[in-house]
Amino acid sequence: MIRLILLLAAICGMAHGCPSIISKSTWSIKNTSCRDALPTPVPWVIIHHTDTPVCMSKTACTTRLRNILDHHTRTNKWCDIGYNFIIDMNGNIFEGRGWTKTGAHAKGSNSKSIGIAFIGNFQSSLPSKAAIEAAKRLIKCGVTLNKIKANYFVKGHQDVFSTACPGKALYNNIKTWPRFKAGKQ
């Protein structure tokens, strides 16, 4: 019985210091059709920015996420929002496709990565300290839950695709993170 309780706690993110994650059903009422399972544990974490204005309240961020979801599903014709997780400036972590579904955040690298996006444009400024720390805790949680390999690498979107994402300032910051590795390898 105790083993079952520990397993359920780990799945819910209550054990091992996992951060709180705002479930997709909390911020979106749109049913999505994604079916592709993400083969975990993945070797990469790919960092993005949403290239939108930042949002400072949960209500504003929920609206922003719905707009991104709408763009990804209507314009890009994806089955869901592209990212696995999205983080706001208050350090709130929102579930996108989560730990179990293949993202659409980095063409050619989706099946071997978790995509984490920061809400905002980080070409010339950084996400808040709370947001950066939330991402690092989320990555640590993914390793603990065996969703991310222990010997993973952190990459910027620009390492695997021709883009300015995650923005120059944020990219320079993630170069200092443990386990950063530039390039497609």
Side-chain angles (χ1 to χ4, degrees), residues 17-28:
C18 287
S20 177
I21 298 171
I22 300 166
S23 71
K24 186 154 178 244
S25 62
T26 301
W27 65 265
S28 173

Side-chain angles (χ1 to χ4, degrees), residues 10-92:
I11 291 169
C12 294
M14 297 183 299
H16 310 293
C18 287
S20 177
I21 298 171
I22 300 166
S23 71
K24 186 154 178 244
S25 62
T26 301
W27 65 265
S28 173
I29 58 169
K30 188 173 194 168
N31 289 327
T32 56
S33 60
C34 293
R35 302 280 184 256
D36 292 340
L38 182 63
T40 58
V42 295
W44 295 352
V45 174
I46 299 178
I47 303 298
H48 302 266
H49 68 172
T50 60
D51 198 16
T52 62
V54 298
C55 49
M56 298 308 294
S57 72
K58 233 183 229 186
T59 302
C61 291
T62 295
T63 299
R64 179 74 28 86
L65 287 172
R66 287 177 182 156
N67 289 337
I68 294 168
L69 173 61
D70 190 58
H71 175 75
H72 285 183
T73 56
R74 286 183 188 215
T75 304
N76 295 355
K77 305 293 186 204
W78 296 342
C79 61
D80 198 350
I81 196 164
Y83 314 111
N84 297 89
F85 298 95
I86 309 96
I87 301 175
D88 72 11
M89 293 305 96
N90 294 312
N92 293 310

Side-chain angles (χ1 to χ4, degrees), residues 1-180:
M1 182 65 152
I2 291 174
R3 192 172 171 165
L4 177 61
I5 292 170
L6 289 174
L7 177 63
L8 289 172
I11 291 169
C12 294
M14 297 183 299
H16 310 293
C18 287
S20 177
I21 298 171
I22 300 166
S23 71
K24 186 154 178 244
S25 62
T26 301
W27 65 265
S28 173
I29 58 169
K30 188 173 194 168
N31 289 327
T32 56
S33 60
C34 293
R35 302 280 184 256
D36 292 340
L38 182 63
T40 58
V42 295
W44 295 352
V45 174
I46 299 178
I47 303 298
H48 302 266
H49 68 172
T50 60
D51 198 16
T52 62
V54 298
C55 49
M56 298 308 294
S57 72
K58 233 183 229 186
T59 302
C61 291
T62 295
T63 299
R64 179 74 28 86
L65 287 172
R66 287 177 182 156
N67 289 337
I68 294 168
L69 173 61
D70 190 58
H71 175 75
H72 285 183
T73 56
R74 286 183 188 215
T75 304
N76 295 355
K77 305 293 186 204
W78 296 342
C79 61
D80 198 350
I81 196 164
Y83 314 111
N84 297 89
F85 298 95
I86 309 96
I87 301 175
D88 72 11
M89 293 305 96
N90 294 312
N92 293 310
I93 302 169
F94 295 85
E95 178 187 38
R97 294 193 188 197
W99 298 116
T100 63
K101 291 190 180 139
T102 302
H105 54 90
K107 189 174 183 178
S109 302
N110 294 314
S111 65
K112 58 184 168 187
S113 64
I114 291 289
I116 300 174
F118 292 94
I119 298 174
N121 178 308
F122 300 104
Q123 191 63 26
S124 59
S125 63
L126 286 174
S128 68
K129 183 177 179 181
I132 290 172
E133 289 305 313
K136 291 177 179 179
R137 284 191 317 274
L138 182 64
I139 293 167
K140 184 177 179 182
C141 173
V143 171
T144 300
L145 296 175
N146 200 35
K147 303 299 182 183
I148 300 170
K149 289 184 176 185
N151 61 346
Y152 70 93
F153 291 114
V154 171
K155 297 181 174 294
H157 187 192
Q158 68 187 54
D159 286 314
V160 298
F161 193 77
S162 181
T163 180
C165 181
K168 186 176 183 178
L170 180 53
Y171 186 73
N172 286 335
N173 181 270
I174 67 169
K175 286 182 189 178
T176 69
W177 292 17
R179 313 229 29 94
F180 172 80

